[in-house]
Amino acid sequence: MNAALLTFDFVLLAGLLGVAWRCLASTDLFRAVVLFITFGLLLAIAWVRLEAPDIALAEAAIGAGITGALLLVTLERLKHIMNRPRTDTDHDPAPPPDPVASDADAPGAAPTGDAASRAADAGNAALSCAPAPARGRWITLVVTVGLAGLLMATLATQEHDPGLQPTVAEHMDVSGVDHGITAVLLNFRSWDTLLELAMVLLAGLGAWSLGRHDALPARPTPGPVLPGAVRLLLPVAIVTGVYLLWAGSHAPGGAFQAGAVLGAAGILVSLARPHELPDPDPRLLRIGVTAGALLFLAIGLWGLFAGPALLTWPSELAYPLILIIETGATLSIALTLVALFIGGRSPREDT
Amino acid sequence: MIESLDPGTLYPFGGAALFALGLHGLIRRRHLILRILAVNIMGSGVFMVFLGIAARGNAPPDPVAQALTLTGIVVAVSATAFALALTVHLARLTGYAVLLPGPLQTHRDSHPDDR
């Protein structure tokens, strides 16, 4: 073991734990979100150290990129909601007790102050939150440190086990692809991937069921920089996404990474799009969002009747089928991520 | 001792520490955004344990564990997005982004789009 690499591992782990601690201890939500994005990027480096380049790609694109964009737009929405002038102040029933303030006997807990002082620093107050109350500090610390110790003790006693790597290597020739992870995801354990696509779809439907979306609160004012940057970045992002999709059969890459890159491109476009443009046709959007899971299910059912079994493919047809499924999945993941960023159904749907 | 400290041995311990750290944040912090971040950090700790164990030894890493982690990351971002949408909805209805005890009291006008 190289001493320099070992030092690197320790520094990286210490950095991850430190960033996570500062993120969760923060009283400023914006700072917490930025620290969380940093955490995701550091995590991607850790995955590279663990010989998992696929996961590193996914973590950088999804864990840090898309989640970060979702968190930032949520903060903008929260700020917008908290700062909305209250029209019903006079005949408003007494607001429910704020547990953040009432539970906190620590100094510096959120002031419940009068409406005037609330409004004065509303701009900052909307994105700040009370520090954790002092009560229960030690019991939580003891419980979580004890849990960490137990987990580590369990991990230390664990015997080395080669896992399923030899089994996967043995069956690679019937999988239709040359990359172990893609073979597992889309052939050996395709149930997982189908249910995962269903999960993505479910999250999108859940967000849509909460109501129609507002215009993005912090829509950048139309200027030359953002549309220009998007014009330059969009072709690069599309080529990268399609390359990742195609590369998945023989190298790190695949539908999820490709979907995340294309979804990020879609988020940029939705930010830079002129206000006057109408929203895309919601029916097309619905078809696109469900296409991945339905296509996967249809091909899986075809496997039940024409092939070996449900969700399994004959090895000579496996490669084209996997590529079709991955293309559908990429499209659906990208569209769902953009839809989740925009949030809510399209206002055009009810007209 | 130093020879046995390959990443596959070291990182699962880091993952356990991250999980406990996230749990601490989840219990201690009230704001829902911070709680969502805490759950994500706990999830990252689990992924780290998985990938660390998969990378143990000199053989190539276990692709099944890596595939499950990849699935986990996508499921985590979906669940996070839905949780964030619920948080915004709660804030729109109550004016607070924390969970209040007792039945939901709507003390702001509901959003005009929700009629």
Side-chain angles (χ1 to χ4, degrees):
Chain A
M1 181 66 218
N2 191 327
L5 278 178
L6 189 65
T7 316
F8 178 79
D9 287 338
F10 272 110
V11 171
L12 183 58
L13 281 176
L16 277 168
L17 288 166
V19 169
W21 176 261
R22 293 298 305 270
C23 167
L24 292 180
S26 173
T27 53
D28 176 6
L29 294 177
F30 183 74
R31 174 203 285 264
V33 165
V34 171
L35 284 170
F36 183 76
I37 296 171
T38 316
F39 176 79
L41 292 173
L42 287 177
L43 212 50
I45 302 176
W47 299 158
V48 173
R49 278 293 292 141
L50 290 172
E51 300 171 68
D54 293 82
I55 322 292
L57 276 174
E59 184 72 52
I62 304 179
I66 301 275
T67 312
L70 287 168
L71 284 164
L72 288 174
V73 79
T74 303
L75 289 191
E76 282 305 317
R77 291 217 163 87
L78 282 183
K79 197 158 78 178
H80 187 68
I81 291 168
M82 305 292 183
N83 294 344
R84 202 169 54 193
R86 293 176 60 166
T87 50
D88 53 349
T89 319
D90 294 333
H91 46 89
D92 196 29
D98 186 348
V100 172
S102 57
D103 276 11
D105 32 68
T112 40
D114 59 321
S117 75
R118 265 187 112 109
D121 48 11
N124 304 320
L127 288 190
S128 66
C129 57
R135 203 180 67 192
R137 177 192 297 163
W138 295 111
I139 181 85
T140 323
L141 197 66
V142 167
V143 167
T144 48
V145 168
L147 178 74
L150 276 177
L151 287 173
M152 289 183 190
T154 315
L155 287 169
T157 56
Q158 206 207 19
E159 301 278 324
H160 174 62
D161 180 348
L164 291 165
Q165 196 272 327
T167 321
V168 171
E170 199 180 314
H171 293 89
M172 277 308 289
D173 50 337
V174 297
S175 69
V177 289
D178 301 326
H179 187 52
I181 294 177
T182 308
V184 172
L185 278 176
L186 288 156
N187 202 332
F188 303 150
R189 291 192 64 92
S190 35
W191 263 113
D192 292 349
T193 313
L194 175 60
L195 292 180
E196 170 192 351
L197 286 177
M199 176 77 203
V200 174
L201 179 61
L202 206 58
L205 294 182
W208 276 354
S209 71
L210 292 176
R212 274 166 284 165
H213 70 75
D214 314 313
L216 291 176
R219 202 84 178 259
T221 47
V225 177
L226 189 62
V230 169
R231 216 169 284 140
L232 286 176
L233 284 175
L234 196 59
V236 179
I238 291 175
V239 169
T240 311
V242 174
Y243 170 75
L244 281 172
L245 171 64
W246 173 79
S249 63
H250 55 84
F256 306 121
Q257 295 91 335
V261 169
L262 292 180
I267 287 175
L268 272 179
V269 171
S270 74
L271 281 174
R273 222 163 52 96
H275 296 234
E276 308 84 56
L277 275 182
D279 286 343
D281 189 343
R283 272 168 305 180
L284 273 181
L285 193 62
R286 286 178 176 196
I287 292 172
V289 162
T290 48
L294 290 184
L295 197 65
F296 201 154
L297 195 59
I299 295 178
L301 283 174
W302 173 84
L304 177 63
F305 294 112
L310 181 64
L311 287 171
T312 39
W313 351 109
S315 60
E316 66 275 9
L317 277 178
Y319 179 63
L321 288 181
I322 286 177
L323 208 57
I324 293 173
I325 293 171
E326 285 209 289
T327 310
T330 303
L331 181 74
S332 289
I333 291 172
L335 280 176
T336 312
L337 290 175
V338 179
L340 284 169
F341 177 80
I342 295 173
R345 296 193 303 275
S346 161
R348 250 183 80 183
E349 273 191 53
D350 304 305
T351 57
Chain B
M1 182 59 199
I2 289 292
E3 293 81 51
S4 70
L5 268 180
D6 61 338
T9 317
L10 187 61
Y11 279 82
F13 292 120
L18 274 180
F19 183 87
L21 187 69
L23 184 66
H24 187 266
L26 180 67
I27 298 171
R28 297 280 296 156
R29 304 311 304 266
R30 294 309 263 274
H31 200 284
L32 287 174
I33 299 278
L34 286 172
R35 289 197 158 177
I36 292 169
L37 293 183
V39 172
N40 269 291
I41 287 172
M42 288 170 75
S44 302
V46 175
F47 297 153
M48 190 175 273
V49 172
F50 251 68
L51 292 177
I53 291 176
R56 276 182 188 174
N58 296 322
D62 184 354
V64 176
Q66 294 196 351
L68 284 179
T69 308
L70 199 52
T71 307
I73 290 177
V74 179
V75 169
V77 72
S78 308
T80 303
F82 184 48
L84 290 174
L86 283 176
T87 306
V88 169
H89 199 64
L90 183 80
R92 193 179 278 164
L93 289 178
T94 66
Y96 292 100
V98 291
L99 289 177
L100 301 168
L104 186 69
Q105 282 188 325
T106 306
H107 70 98
R108 275 178 188 271
D109 279 343
S110 63
H111 193 260
D113 280 349
D114 293 329
R115 55 181 179 257

